[in-house]
Amino acid sequence: MSNGQADIGLIGLAVMGQNLVLNMADHGFTVAVFNRTVSKVDDFLANEAKGKSIVGGHSIEEFVSQLKQPRRVMLMVKAGKPVDEFIEHLLPHLGAGDIIIDGGNSNFQDTIRRCAYVESKGLQYIGTGVSGGEEGARNGPSIMPGGSPAAWPHVKDIFQAIAAKADGEPCCDWVGENGAGHYVKMTHNGIEYGDMQLICEAYSLLSAVGMTAPEIAEVFTEWNKGELDSYLVQITSEILAKLDPETGKPIVDVIQDTAGQKGTGKWTVISACDLGVPVTIIAEAVFARCLSAIKSERVDASKLLKGPKAVFRGDRKKFIEDVRQALYASKICSYAQGFQLMRAAAGEYKWNLNYGGIAQMWRGGCIIRSQFLGRIHDAFGGRKKVVNLLTVPFFRSATRKAQGSWRRVISQAVKLGVPVPGFMTALAYYDGYRSERLPANLLQAQRDYFGAHTYERTDKPAGQFFHTNWTGSGGSITAGTYTV
Ligand code: 6PG
């Protein structure tokens, strides 16, 4: 293949990188590849890439020389320093207008910094979320690109060709400037944590009433035919049905109950705290992973701390339906929170996010793909402004219908001593969000009592602050009024 013929280059031949390259080649694009361990280039060319429109470079120079202009270089390398290192390796070999694309799970703040830096060198930068794991990368991921707007026309055809499709539309579109794409990917991962936690709580409750993994697998198979139709529910039914070849037991019963996390869910919660947005379900999902990880402490505590001895004696079939409704209602709250977060971020970082478009990007290819996202896409379609998904008629009616089940399931969990932090915090969010008055009046009084932080009054215009000399001995000096 003569030089300068590759439509795009990709650096990083781990599983995701290789599968994206093969997907691009399958869609008629010529791809140049490079890898820090150069021998991987030869292995790839001699095996998976054999006979395809894929060429390889044995040095950055050779790799860059194989690219059409404007050169497009996609990095599929570990988030963090490796991305900065490859940017530095590439800059001397690229020219004005060339495009560097980071397709890893980078922190959006890093992408904001890198975008400004690369643009200062006369090049363009894209930070894109790529969701769907190795299967998605190979057969159609969800792609969420952001960064230098002028770069989008040069990668749009490639990304939209390889992306998953939903109703014929690509699950890929331009998200917004600088870190917007990685922010949306981060939020996707946060919502993914929430979905996974809620599913695990449903599994935990059904186990607590005596159901076996294969029996619960059948329940999830049924649930996957209705409102909960989604990739995560589908794989859960497969996981619960799978037997361990070594022991013959359900494999889920022999897997250690200590969860890992690479950090994108944590980043979501940190950003939510910075922006003052209650993403309580994602936060509980992150902390549930942390609690699961202190296994030895939990084993010791299980011998010391006693809980209820209650045994479930209700109608199992009815309980299963209640759990399904509770899972659905909690999921609605989690997505409502996630979209609230993106809206706050858009305000903070001056992004013009298209929420219906984001729902479209998530309808296929990504880990949270589901029929439910079609409903969210519709909810944003055509509406001027959705204040909160909970107030959209479709979701308002769904949560109203689920209320009884939701509250019965939580009280049953309390009676059985089964921890369901996701279900509980979702209901607390729902009850809090629909409350005209919350107990923060007392909280303001407490703050004013010990810190003279002042408070507003219900019978005076907003913005007027008052202080009470609660003890009769304090002075009239008040603390500066500010909210982080
Ligand atoms: C995706 C996934 C992926 C994620 C892994 C591990 O969208 O394809 O979200 O990006 O990094 O699933 O995530 P955790 O280790 O944080 O669970």
Side-chain angles (χ1 to χ4, degrees):
M1 184 86 52
S2 66
N3 275 350
Q5 290 306 306
D7 300 294
I8 187 168
L10 188 139
I11 296 177
L13 292 178
V15 170
M16 286 289 287
Q18 287 195 20
N19 282 327
L20 281 174
V21 171
L22 294 170
N23 188 347
M24 290 171 181
D26 284 357
H27 285 86
F29 298 103
T30 300
V31 191
V33 298
F34 179 73
N35 194 77
R36 194 192 290 272
T37 311
V38 179
S39 59
K40 266 194 127 172
V41 173
D42 296 321
D43 292 348
F44 182 55
L45 293 178
N47 295 290
E48 298 86 350
K50 199 171 174 60
K52 295 179 182 288
S53 54
I54 300 170
V55 296
H58 295 84
S59 66
I60 290 275
E61 297 84 342
E62 185 190 8
F63 164 73
V64 167
S65 75
Q66 295 167 326
L67 302 177
K68 272 180 197 166
Q69 302 209 5
R71 301 181 192 88
R72 287 144 281 198
V73 180
M74 187 164 190
L75 301 174
M76 288 304 289
V77 297
K78 195 168 172 299
K81 262 178 83 51
V83 177
D84 295 303
E85 286 165 0
F86 267 109
I87 289 172
E88 291 310 321
H89 290 330
L90 284 164
L91 283 175
H93 304 283
L94 298 176
D98 286 347
I99 302 161
I100 298 177
I101 305 158
D102 171 17
N105 267 340
S106 293
N107 186 294
F108 75 99
Q109 302 274 20
D110 288 339
T111 301
I112 292 173
R113 167 178 58 81
R114 290 169 181 146
C115 191
Y117 174 64
V118 168
E119 286 179 348
S120 75
K121 304 286 183 186
L123 283 80
Q124 296 165 48
Y125 194 77
I126 289 179
T128 185
V130 179
S131 179
E134 50 188 286
E135 195 265 334
R138 184 69 186 85
N139 302 311
S142 160
I143 307 176
M144 299 151 259
S148 313
W152 176 232
H154 300 294
V155 299
K156 179 177 184 199
D157 290 351
I158 301 174
F159 280 8
Q160 292 193 335
I162 67 169
K165 308 294 183 289
D167 288 342
E169 288 301 313
C171 297
C172 168
D173 205 342
W174 188 250
V175 174
E177 298 186 331
N178 52 62
H182 273 139
Y183 195 93
V184 166
K185 175 55 166 74
M186 175 195 79
T187 308
H188 162 277
N189 279 35
I191 290 173
E192 171 192 305
Y193 275 48
D195 274 352
M196 292 165 75
Q197 176 63 23
L198 294 173
I199 287 170
C200 288
E201 291 180 15
Y203 154 72
S204 174
L205 282 165
L206 297 182
S207 306
V209 299
M211 294 178 72
T212 63
E215 287 171 332
I216 302 171
E218 284 170 25
V219 169
F220 275 95
T221 302
E222 275 313 299
W223 287 356
N224 201 43
K225 295 173 186 163
E227 299 155 327
L228 288 171
D229 168 13
S230 61
Y231 171 72
L232 283 172
V233 166
Q234 175 221 319
I235 69 166
T236 298
S237 61
E238 291 174 28
I239 289 164
L240 293 170
K242 194 163 184 63
L243 299 182
D244 172 32
E246 263 181 64
T247 62
K249 292 180 186 168
I251 193 161
V252 72
D253 292 347
V254 296
I255 291 176
Q256 191 58 275
D257 61 322
T258 50
Q261 49 184 315
K262 289 205 182 76
T264 45
K266 178 183 73 174
W267 293 346
T268 308
V269 178
I270 291 169
S271 178
C273 290
D274 287 342
L275 296 173
V277 179
V279 287
T280 57
I281 297 149
I282 298 172
E284 285 292 357
V286 170
F287 292 135
R289 294 195 185 196
C290 302
L291 182 59
S292 79
I294 53 171
K295 173 77 179 178
S296 57
E297 270 189 60
R298 290 191 286 113
V299 171
D300 294 345
S302 69
K303 302 179 180 86
L304 301 171
L305 307 178
K306 295 306 163 207
K309 294 257 179 296
V311 174
F312 178 75
R313 301 194 191 294
D315 173 340
R316 182 183 281 186
K317 201 161 179 305
K318 189 170 172 8
F319 184 65
I320 290 170
E321 174 54 15
D322 278 351
V323 173
R324 186 190 70 79
Q325 296 257 20
L327 175 54
Y328 186 53
S330 304
K331 179 177 174 132
I332 292 170
C333 290
S334 184
Y335 282 69
Q337 292 178 355
F339 276 86
Q340 293 299 84
L341 177 63
M342 289 188 285
R343 198 167 72 145
E348 176 71 16
Y349 299 105
K350 311 275 182 291
W351 298 323
N352 179 24
L353 297 182
N354 171 349
Y355 305 103
I358 290 167
Q360 171 62 21
M361 284 182 242
W362 290 352
R363 288 184 64 196
C366 64
I367 301 294
I368 64 171
R369 61 184 184 266
S370 64
Q371 177 218 80
F372 178 75
L373 274 155
R375 297 289 188 183
I376 294 182
H377 177 254
D378 297 344
F380 282 106
R383 261 191 185 68
K384 283 192 193 52
K385 188 172 165 54
V386 171
V387 173
N388 185 309
L389 281 173
L390 281 173
T391 61
V392 165
F394 175 82
F395 295 115
R396 205 163 72 222
S397 121
T399 47
R400 189 180 59 244
K401 272 191 289 191
Q403 280 233 36
S405 297
W406 202 358
R407 297 179 191 280
R408 280 195 296 275
V409 164
I410 288 172
S411 38
Q412 189 61 250
V414 168
K415 284 180 199 140
L416 294 172
V418 176
V420 288
F423 283 179
M424 287 181 170
T425 198
L427 183 60
Y429 174 76
Y430 177 80
D431 282 339
Y433 190 73
R434 66 181 186 80
S435 298
E436 187 181 1
R437 192 148 166 80
L438 287 170
N441 54 328
L442 173 58
L443 191 135
Q444 284 294 81
Q446 292 163 337
R447 293 178 69 240
D448 190 51
Y449 184 107
F450 59 67
H453 292 294
T454 71
Y455 55 84
E456 294 171 291
R457 290 176 57 102
T458 54
D459 55 359
K460 293 279 189 293
Q464 281 186 8
F465 288 88
F466 302 87
H467 168 63
T468 294
N469 181 350
W470 300 95
T471 60
S473 57
S476 57
I477 304 292
T478 61
T481 303
Y482 65 90
T483 301
V484 289

